[in-house]
Amino acid sequence: MKLRTGFVRASGYAYKVRRVLFALTRGKVSPEEVVRAAGELNVRIFEELQKRGVDKGDVVRIGVPFRIEDGKVLWDYSGLEIEVYRKEEDEKLAKAMEEVEERERALEEKISRIEELANRLKELSNELLGEIEEIKQEHTSLRLRAEG
């Protein structure tokens, strides 16, 4: 398997790594292991970004192979790829990143609203099921009284 972040500002790579890793490993490893593995990788990436003098406004794209063994995420650091696009060197990319970030925020807001609606729908569904159960109970007790 390979984790790929896509283009992301250097200041936001850690969050993106964690999100992508959660998506790739859902149901395969525990959430605690995802957090541990993401933290381990993020330390390695941070050190590399520091060595390269990457500014937090620069854009990076990160890829790293990994495997899952015994419920653990194991990184293949020899395959770690970090592409760096300097803000001052490529204004077009910086502008494109701003648009991507805006769209990501809008998507996250929409997903949040949909999750809220789903939770409200679940609550209403549970309430309806409760009402149905109550009606069944009343009906059964009426039938028992009529028969008795």
Side-chain angles (χ1 to χ4, degrees), residues 101-116:
E101 289 168 346
E102 273 182 42
R103 288 183 180 182
E104 262 189 2
R105 277 191 298 275
L107 178 62
E108 286 179 13
E109 286 175 17
K110 286 181 181 180
I111 288 171
S112 180
R113 284 198 313 261
I114 291 170
E115 284 175 341
E116 270 182 41

Side-chain angles (χ1 to χ4, degrees), residues 90-142:
D90 198 341
E91 279 301 312
K92 282 185 182 178
L93 185 58
K95 287 180 182 174
M97 277 306 301
E98 286 175 20
E99 187 176 320
V100 167
E101 289 168 346
E102 273 182 42
R103 288 183 180 182
E104 262 189 2
R105 277 191 298 275
L107 178 62
E108 286 179 13
E109 286 175 17
K110 286 181 181 180
I111 288 171
S112 180
R113 284 198 313 261
I114 291 170
E115 284 175 341
E116 270 182 41
L117 286 172
N119 286 331
R120 286 189 5 218
L121 185 57
K122 185 178 178 181
E123 288 172 12
L124 283 172
S125 175
N126 288 337
E127 194 176 320
L128 284 170
L129 289 171
E131 292 289 328
I132 290 169
E133 201 52 43
E134 219 175 278
I135 290 170
K136 285 179 180 178
Q137 292 289 334
E138 288 174 9
H139 176 73
T140 302
S141 66
L142 285 175

